[in-house]
């Protein structure tokens, strides 16, 4: 029987699904080419042909698991944007979901937290875009006291650190309130109490206008670019 692209795709999906289950239930050590091949009903050489080696298989599995998670997050952000969901509540819900994902998928989290892997992961990049969308909604609401990019970096770094700390601690010794405490600390750094209130004040207003600038069709493209440049200077100076 011919080895068609469809058959190869079916085999690849089956192998990734089996390996994802083994990774979730037993950890990376359980994802052996022989064990995965037997569970997936394929010959071991097929894994080498499709993924190169075990490391390639693990990367494919991590990418698959994270991509599924990110697609769910993206759908929630779209729904929040279309509805009346408070952007701050949506940001906090995203934080909680990401921490829960990391704790539920430690092997995947560790694989994609490796800087050498993360920068070339499409799913990780998609996840960052979801966070950027959430932060952008907060900026539009006038509740961001720092620039969007800085806020994204702070939130991402803090979330990664929380999960890494919890995963490095025995489950029975973990601080159940750590994630909430860190989020509150992050919120004090990047969020204002209310639109236009001190101490966010002018900076929060500048950030909100910066988020809105690309939509100001009453201005020319050159004028929007100039306005954006001015606002960036205001934000960076505060």
């Amino acid at each position: 029987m011919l080895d068609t692209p469809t058959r190869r795709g079916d085999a690849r999906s089956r192998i990734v699904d089996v390996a994802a289950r083994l990774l979730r239930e037993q950890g990376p050590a359980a994802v052996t080419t022989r064990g995965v091949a037997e569970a997936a009903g394929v010959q071991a050489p097929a894994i080498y042909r499709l993924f190169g080696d075990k490391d390639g298989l693990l990367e494919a599995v991590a990418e698959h698991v994270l991509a599924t998670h990110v697609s769910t997050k993206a759908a929630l952000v779209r729904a929040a944007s279309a509805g009346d969901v408070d952007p701050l509540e949506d940001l906090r819900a995203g934080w909680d979901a990401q921490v829960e994902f990391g704790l539920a998928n430690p092997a995947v989290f560790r694989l994609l937290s490796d800087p050498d892997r993360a920068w070339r992961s499409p799913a990780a990049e998609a996840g960052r875009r979801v966070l950027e969308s959430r932060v952008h909604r907060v900026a539009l609401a006038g509740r961001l006291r720092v620039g969007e990019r800085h806020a994204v970096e702070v939130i991402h770094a803090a979330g990664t650190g929380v999960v890494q700390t919890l995963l490095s601690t025995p489950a029975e010794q973990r601080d159940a309130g750590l994630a909430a405490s860190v989020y509150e600390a992050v919120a004090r750094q990047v969020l204002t109490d209310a639109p236009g209130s001190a101490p966010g004040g002018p900076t929060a207003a500048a950030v909100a206008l910066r988020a809105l600038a690309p939509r100001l069709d009453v201005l020319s493209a050159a004028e929007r670019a100039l306005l954006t440049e001015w606002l960036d200077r205001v934000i960076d100076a505060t």
Side-chain angles (χ1 to χ4, degrees):
M1 184 176 295
L2 293 177
D3 184 18
T4 65
T6 299
R7 285 177 56 81
R8 287 195 298 272
D10 291 343
R12 192 181 196 281
S13 297
R14 191 163 65 252
I15 290 168
V16 168
D17 288 341
V18 167
R21 175 175 56 80
L22 291 173
L23 184 65
R24 181 177 62 253
E25 296 175 354
Q26 303 177 43
V31 185
T32 64
T33 53
R34 179 176 179 180
V36 171
E38 289 179 355
V42 300
Q43 297 296 317
I47 293 180
Y48 293 104
R49 186 168 63 251
L50 291 168
F51 303 98
D53 53 20
K54 177 183 174 179
D55 194 55
L57 173 59
L58 284 172
E59 285 198 12
V61 170
E63 191 72 16
H64 168 72
V65 174
L66 182 59
T68 301
H69 171 64
V70 168
S71 66
T72 300
K73 290 201 303 180
L76 291 174
V77 171
R78 288 194 296 271
S81 299
D84 297 324
V85 179
D86 183 278
L88 270 68
E89 293 179 2
D90 184 44
L91 183 65
R92 177 58 186 269
W95 169 277
D96 291 340
Q98 191 63 19
V99 172
E100 290 173 5
F101 172 82
L103 297 181
N105 300 273
V108 169
F109 178 84
R110 290 189 178 104
L111 281 169
L112 292 180
S113 294
D114 179 350
D116 290 335
R117 299 177 191 268
W119 71 270
R120 51 190 169 88
S121 164
E125 177 59 28
R128 184 181 180 86
R129 288 196 297 271
V130 170
L131 175 57
E132 289 171 350
S133 296
R134 284 187 157 117
V135 169
H136 185 65
R137 293 187 65 232
V138 174
L140 286 172
R143 300 297 301 273
L144 205 60
R145 73 166 75 227
V146 299
E148 291 184 46
R149 180 177 178 181
H150 184 66
V152 168
E153 295 289 354
V154 170
I155 294 168
H156 179 266
T160 299
V162 164
V163 177
Q164 288 177 335
T165 298
L166 291 173
L167 289 178
S168 66
T169 306
E172 67 277 6
Q173 298 177 21
R174 291 174 184 169
D175 180 352
L178 179 64
S181 295
V182 173
Y183 182 82
E184 292 304 322
V186 168
R188 287 193 294 272
Q189 290 293 317
V190 304
L191 303 178
T192 64
D193 294 330
S197 67
T203 303
V207 172
L209 183 55
R210 171 66 175 81
L212 186 62
R215 306 182 191 180
L216 298 177
D217 294 335
V218 67
L219 302 178
S220 68
E223 289 170 333
R224 289 195 298 271
L226 184 58
L227 176 61
T228 297
E229 180 183 345
W230 286 343
L231 291 170
D232 282 340
R233 287 166 60 186
V234 170
I235 295 167
D236 291 342
T238 56

